[in-house]
Amino acid sequence: MKAKIIVTLLGFCWTVSSFAQAIGVEIDGNPIQLTVAPRIVDNRVLVPFREIFEHLGAFVEWRPSTRTIYARKGDNNLELRVGSMTAKVNGSDVSLDVPAQIFGGYTYIPLRFVSESLGYDVNWKSYTRTVEILTLAHR
């Protein structure tokens, strides 16, 4: 009986913990669905790179041999290498708070850095644990 109660409590704690960790992403107030959930690493939200770039309307390329992501939208060009604390924005080096990383076969990138590099505003809504991206049309 005691073991059953402990297992039930552990299951409840896991459910509450999982719920508390959910992170949403919105573009211009519209929630977007991602195949894999965003992650928090060192207090930064990381998202799967291909999906977020496609939602933002950017062209994206992954080169597995160098573990490098290239993205282009309009006049903005980004280059991020997995594990590097430096990215390139329009050919210039930019320091990152947290590097691109691979989890479970998906490459994650820092959402704020990428969104701001493409010219968007980014806000963190702590009360809903949601990252809000505002494009030029919605500022």
Side-chain angles (χ1 to χ4, degrees):
M1 177 71 169
K2 187 176 181 182
K4 189 175 183 179
I5 291 171
I6 290 172
V7 170
T8 302
L9 287 174
L10 288 174
F12 175 74
C13 290
W14 180 81
T15 302
V16 170
S17 173
S18 296
F19 177 74
Q21 303 247 352
I23 301 164
V25 178
E26 296 178 351
I27 298 176
D28 296 330
N30 299 309
I32 62 170
Q33 298 298 317
L34 299 171
T35 303
V36 291
R39 303 175 71 103
I40 293 183
V41 176
D42 294 334
N43 292 318
R44 299 292 181 255
V45 175
L46 277 73
V47 293
F49 85 91
R50 183 168 303 279
E51 284 187 284
I52 199 64
F53 277 129
E54 288 174 354
H55 279 290
L56 293 172
F59 168 79
V60 64
E61 178 184 354
W62 166 249
R63 293 190 189 158
S65 61
T66 59
R67 296 172 31 123
T68 304
I69 300 161
Y70 297 90
R72 182 180 67 244
K73 177 155 186 185
D75 294 333
N76 296 311
N77 293 290
L78 305 178
E79 180 181 329
L80 292 100
R81 180 170 293 185
V82 171
S84 177
M85 293 297 290
T86 304
K88 289 197 180 289
V89 178
N90 297 325
S92 297
D93 287 344
V94 177
S95 294
L96 300 172
D97 294 331
V98 63
Q101 301 175 38
I102 297 176
F103 297 103
Y106 291 90
T107 303
Y108 284 75
I109 56 174
L111 181 57
R112 178 176 295 279
F113 164 76
V114 168
S115 298
E116 289 179 347
S117 294
L118 292 175
Y120 303 131
D121 288 334
V122 180
N123 299 306
W124 170 249
K125 298 183 195 177
S126 59
Y127 55 95
T128 60
R129 296 180 55 84
T130 302
V131 177
E132 174 186 55
I133 301 169
L134 298 172
T135 65
L136 298 173
H138 289 84
R139 290 186 187 168

